[in-house]
Amino acid sequence: QVHLVESGGGLMQAGGSLRLSCAASGSISIFNNMGWYRQIPGKQRELVARIWRTGSTYYADYADSVKGRFAISRDSAKNTMYLQMNSLNVEDTAVYYCNADLGSFSYWGPGTQVTVSP
């Protein structure tokens, strides 16, 4: 069982930056696929960014709404995944969740609130 915990959320003015972290209780090297999702009350959880590994090469992909502003990364030595969020806007306000997939198992963190004020 792997536990994921997000941190780094908070209140930020539009145009500012935040970096979210997702710390795992064990090694993240076992996960080929990891990602960040976000959810607004009353709406479905949506994929923000994902990072996956094929062989020894990592790839990343982003939702159109965050391309060019957000960057996903992972540090196996620290068992942590990150989401650097720049040029934040009010539409980025949501609870952000980290996710890691291992075969048929999907692990989620409890989420961290990001609120962007005008």
Side-chain angles (χ1 to χ4, degrees):
Q1 184 76 9
V2 175
H3 296 282
L4 305 175
V5 179
E6 304 91 342
S7 62
L11 176 63
M12 177 58 64
Q13 280 191 322
S17 298
L18 284 173
R19 187 176 81 156
L20 304 184
S21 299
C22 172
S25 59
S27 174
I28 66 170
S29 297
I30 62 174
F31 297 116
N32 286 330
N33 303 306
M34 300 186 73
W36 287 95
Y37 289 72
R38 65 187 181 187
Q39 188 170 23
I40 301 169
K43 293 196 173 182
Q44 283 192 330
R45 194 171 293 187
E46 65 172 0
L47 176 65
V48 176
R50 64 188 182 114
I51 184 167
W52 70 97
R53 180 179 62 207
T54 301
S56 59
T57 303
Y58 288 91
Y59 301 88
D61 194 16
Y62 301 89
D64 288 342
S65 59
V66 307
K67 277 182 181 176
R69 300 188 298 120
F70 290 11
I72 188 172
S73 61
R74 52 187 284 175
D75 185 338
S76 295
K78 297 182 178 180
N79 293 320
T80 303
M81 179 178 64
Y82 303 97
L83 184 69
Q84 178 66 43
M85 306 187 296
N86 300 324
S87 301
L88 286 162
N89 57 57
V90 294
E91 289 75 28
D92 296 319
T93 295
V95 178
Y96 285 72
Y97 299 89
C98 66
N99 167 262
D101 289 331
L102 183 62
S104 60
F105 293 94
S106 191
Y107 299 92
W108 293 90
T112 185
Q113 175 71 47
V114 171
T115 302
V116 183
S117 62

